[in-house]
Amino acid sequence: MPAQIVRAALLALLTACVAAPLGVFVAPWAGWLLFCGGLILQMAFHFRNLARLDRWSRAPDVDASLEGKGAWDGIFGRLYRHEKDLRRQIADRDAEIARIIAAIQALNDGVILLDPDNRIVFCNTMVEEQLGLSLRTDEGLPIVNLIRRPEFVDYLGGGDFTRPLTLRFEHGEERALFIVVIPYAGNRRLMHVKDVTQTDRLDRMRRDFVANVSHELRTPLTVLSGFLETLGEIEVDARTRGRYLTLMAEQARRMENIVQDLLTLSSIESAPPPGDEVVDMARLVDKLRRDAEALSGGRHTVSVESDGLADLRGVEPELASAFGNLVSNAVRYTPAGGTIRIAWKTSPDGAEFAVEDTGIGIDAKHIPRLTERFYRVDRGRSREAGGTGLGLAIVKHALNRHQARLEIRSDPGKGSRFTAKFPPGRLARP
Ligand code: ADP
């Protein structure tokens, strides 16, 4: 039997023991009065404590313990400790949840938690950047109302999450998101969103590159095999044969040039960072002038302007190849009678190597893409001029490795200026 009941019974018995003699020896009503009065006092005591318990249970104050007497003291003490323990456990759990949320917020990837009806329960701040969703405004909303792309709606509705989904956004800033849905806790879902724009772009560049190389090599190969077939099948006179052989040699040279430029590009890409080897600029500029004159064959005026105040630090073959490409482009894209100017100048901000021509020029819309592999303004003209479409890609890579940048200014019909700007750290002053 609980101690409180025993205690209440004993108190009632004690009251009865005092009231009974009074009822017997004085007057029965006096005995009853004392007995009932005792019981009423006991009940008042319990009701008062009950009222205090009721008040406290509505707004438990764990900073001040409830004071009680008798049996109530133990009850109040236990309730007070229980409430305090509960609060501590809740606070610990809240802190744990806050740490988990902070960890999810710190992720570089987006995380969205969905309920069984695909409504947003939680999403981290990265999702805001990736998909424009925000927990503050979108909590509880069906995600398909916010991301309406049909492939996404089908993917989520299909319920087959063994394969991820790649969402590509082509309007505005180009972006690619890799989405994986992981079911958890029965039919709830965790959506993991990864920004794969960079790898997607690299992947596409690699695919385009392979397609471009194949295309570039296939054209001369087709011409070559066509001539070979003709020569093998029909008898041709010596003059025609000679003409065929000249054309075949031209195609073979074209393939050789492409392979040579590809090898240069790949060796620049895989080479270690350039060291501090001093490149004699006076000698290099002089060699570039002689090369330009040889390529021009007297059709252009070639001039050189050099202050001779500093040399460059870096890899000579790479710089020679970059500058050589600029010079050969200037000669190839400048009609006879034009002028090519090669300049090497130093300044407090660094130094610049420039090649200026009075050639055909380039329309402004092509300039941002000129350094892409195989990009040409006029494919036929480039081919006629013996171009591979890789020259400026080589220039860009070689300059980047030397912390230099390429500036292109051009006026269609008037001429172009290609400038390689080097920072002061790349200079070797005598
Ligand atoms: P290519 O081998 O075709 O010359 P490049 O990468 O060297 O390839 O140049 C890319 C394109 O940029 C060329 O096809 C040409 O259209 C244009 N270009 C480069 N240099 C000049 C220049 N000095 N004047 C006019 N157009 C140029």
Side-chain angles (χ1 to χ4, degrees):
M1 204 188 296
Q4 287 80 1
I5 296 178
V6 174
R7 190 190 282 236
L10 281 175
L11 263 173
L13 193 66
L14 191 69
T15 317
C17 289
V18 177
L22 195 68
V24 171
F25 298 113
V26 180
W29 61 266
W32 280 112
L33 189 69
L34 185 65
F35 181 65
C36 291
L39 285 184
I40 286 169
L41 271 177
Q42 257 200 72
M43 281 172 70
F45 169 74
H46 289 308
F47 276 123
R48 189 164 158 263
N49 280 302
L50 260 177
R52 289 171 68 194
L53 182 60
D54 178 58
R55 258 200 320 277
W56 183 83
S57 71
R58 286 168 203 275
D61 180 0
V62 286
D63 290 333
S65 113
L66 262 178
E67 292 290 335
K69 292 238 165 33
W72 288 97
D73 190 35
I75 294 171
F76 285 170
R78 280 192 297 279
L79 278 175
Y80 167 75
R81 280 194 298 281
H82 184 61
E83 176 72 21
K84 206 166 181 174
D85 274 359
L86 265 182
R87 296 233 178 174
R88 204 184 44 243
Q89 277 175 28
I90 291 171
D92 286 352
R93 206 145 299 171
D94 283 352
E96 193 67 30
I97 291 170
R99 275 196 293 275
I100 292 171
I101 290 177
I104 297 174
Q105 297 289 26
L107 281 175
N108 265 340
D109 296 340
V111 174
I112 307 172
L113 301 183
L114 301 173
D115 72 7
D117 299 321
N118 290 331
R119 289 173 191 276
I120 297 174
V121 175
F122 169 84
C123 61
N124 66 355
T125 40
M126 193 41 93
V127 172
E128 202 161 326
E129 231 171 80
Q130 295 172 329
L131 291 161
L133 304 184
S134 151
L135 189 60
R136 202 168 32 81
T137 51
D138 302 328
E139 189 178 357
L141 297 181
I143 193 160
V144 288
N145 287 5
L146 304 163
I147 306 171
R148 292 168 179 266
R149 291 278 294 264
E151 62 267 48
F152 175 74
V153 176
D154 290 349
Y155 176 68
L156 205 59
D160 175 13
F161 305 124
T162 47
R163 282 188 193 186
L165 169 77
T166 305
L167 269 190
R168 289 195 176 81
F169 299 84
E170 262 124 37
H171 303 297
E173 199 190 327
E174 189 187 302
R175 257 169 344 108
L177 298 177
F178 188 76
I179 296 177
V180 182
V181 172
I182 307 158
Y184 76 102
N187 45 5
R188 291 180 170 264
R189 286 156 181 186
L190 183 149
M191 242 175 82
H192 176 214
V193 188
K194 196 171 183 61
D195 191 328
V196 289
T197 311
Q198 200 67 9
T199 40
D200 200 56
R201 194 177 297 150
L202 286 177
D203 218 37
R204 208 175 48 229
M205 274 169 65
R206 189 183 51 77
R207 278 199 308 272
D208 287 354
F209 180 65
V210 172
N212 278 331
V213 171
S214 318
H215 176 79
E216 293 289 335
L217 290 176
R218 202 180 51 201
T219 317
L221 259 180
T222 313
V223 178
L224 263 178
S225 51
F227 279 128
L228 280 174
E229 235 170 74
T230 313
L231 287 175
E233 281 171 7
I234 51 170
E235 279 294 321
V236 289
D237 59 67
R239 229 178 97 239
T240 315
R241 189 187 172 83
R243 200 160 48 84
Y244 281 6
L245 286 176
T246 312
L247 290 170
M248 284 164 73
E250 214 171 82
Q251 297 304 322
R253 205 169 318 115
R254 196 170 135 204
M255 287 201 297
E256 210 177 293
N257 287 346
I258 295 173
V259 172
Q260 185 53 51
D261 275 359
L262 284 172
L263 286 173
T264 307
L265 203 56
S266 110
S267 76
I268 290 178
E269 275 176 345
S270 53
D276 274 348
E277 173 198 329
V278 176
V279 180
D280 183 340
M281 283 305 286
R283 199 164 48 84
L284 181 56
V285 168
D286 193 50
K287 182 178 175 300
L288 291 167
R289 180 187 54 77
R290 278 184 278 116
D291 289 349
E293 282 169 352
L295 190 63
S296 159
R299 288 175 302 123
H300 308 91
T301 309
V302 181
S303 71
V304 167
E305 207 180 292
S306 168
D307 61 13
L309 289 179
D311 286 325
L312 272 176
R313 288 181 194 277
V315 183
E316 178 151 2
E318 281 181 30
L319 292 170
S321 165
F323 299 159
N325 268 304
L326 295 180
V327 170
S328 95
N329 278 354
V331 175
R332 289 186 297 115
Y333 296 107
T334 301
T339 305
I340 318 291
R341 203 167 65 89
I342 304 169
W344 169 243
K345 271 196 219 149
T346 41
S347 73
D349 300 334
E352 48 179 66
F353 172 86
V355 180
E356 207 173 312
D357 64 55
T358 55
I360 59 171
I362 308 154
D363 200 282
K365 69 171 188 272
H366 296 290
I367 291 181
R369 299 196 58 191
L370 287 185
T371 54
E372 284 176 22
R373 291 159 198 209
F374 296 116
Y375 187 86
R376 288 119 154 179
V377 175
D378 180 338
R379 194 166 279 269
R381 190 162 201 161
S382 155
R383 204 163 289 158
E384 250 173 53
T388 60
L390 292 167
L392 290 180
I394 293 174
V395 173
K396 184 185 159 190
H397 272 280
L399 294 185
N400 273 356
R401 280 169 41 79
H402 289 80
Q403 295 80 46
R405 65 194 165 81
L406 180 67
E407 210 178 81
I408 307 172
R409 270 197 255 139
S410 191
D411 222 343
K414 290 196 177 149
S416 316
R417 182 183 164 92
F418 287 74
T419 313
K421 298 197 163 186
F422 291 87
R426 274 283 156 205
L427 299 189
R429 293 180 198 270

